[in-house]
Amino acid sequence: MDCLFCKIIAGEIPAFKIYEDAESVAILDVHPRAPGHTMVLPKHHSQNVIELPAEKLGPVFTAVQKVAKKLRDVLDCDGLTVGINQGRVSGQMVDHLHIHLIPRWKDDGGTSIHSVVDNPPKESFEIIFNKLK
């Protein structure tokens, strides 16, 4: 397989691993948006969260929680932005699921995850709700 993250997980490409367990690896992002910007990678290759087998979700998000606590405790950040870019249109650059953990500090210049997109619905809430229920 020619997946960058699979090669990092296998140790074929060096990375700054800050956490590893049976199901996940956490590495520092090489293009950090903040000090300690980390990505949690499931060891099971899946392009996105929809394709990750259900039995793998829990262990991966347990790793996300452990890494989040580590970042908070070690870096003394005021908060974290946790996010997944799914698909090219959202900014996903590597076709292997990865969960970003971005440490946040008061007055760091960042904004809410709500600032990622500004595309309010043209249909009413009722129409959207009825499609989704």
Side-chain angles (χ1 to χ4, degrees), residues 4-5 8 14-16 27-33 37-39:
L4 172 66
F5 289 164
I8 289 171
F16 292 96
I27 62 171
L28 293 177
D29 193 311
V30 295
H31 301 290
R33 302 299 298 162
H37 179 172
T38 299
M39 296 182 298

Side-chain angles (χ1 to χ4, degrees), residues 68-125:
K69 287 178 182 177
K70 183 176 197 170
L71 292 169
R72 179 198 63 196
D73 294 347
V74 173
L75 300 177
D76 196 30
C77 53
D78 299 315
L80 290 162
T81 295
V82 180
I84 299 171
N85 296 318
Q86 184 158 303
R88 292 284 185 255
V89 70
S90 72
Q92 184 177 9
M93 302 308 292
V94 177
D95 292 331
H96 185 118
L97 172 63
H98 49 290
I99 300 97
H100 290 267
L101 294 158
I102 304 173
R104 301 294 303 274
W105 288 268
K106 183 180 179 200
D107 301 322
D108 66 7
T111 59
S112 157
I113 200 163
H114 291 82
S115 67
V116 171
V117 67
D118 187 16
N119 183 21
K122 292 168 183 55
E123 298 175 311
S124 71
F125 280 2

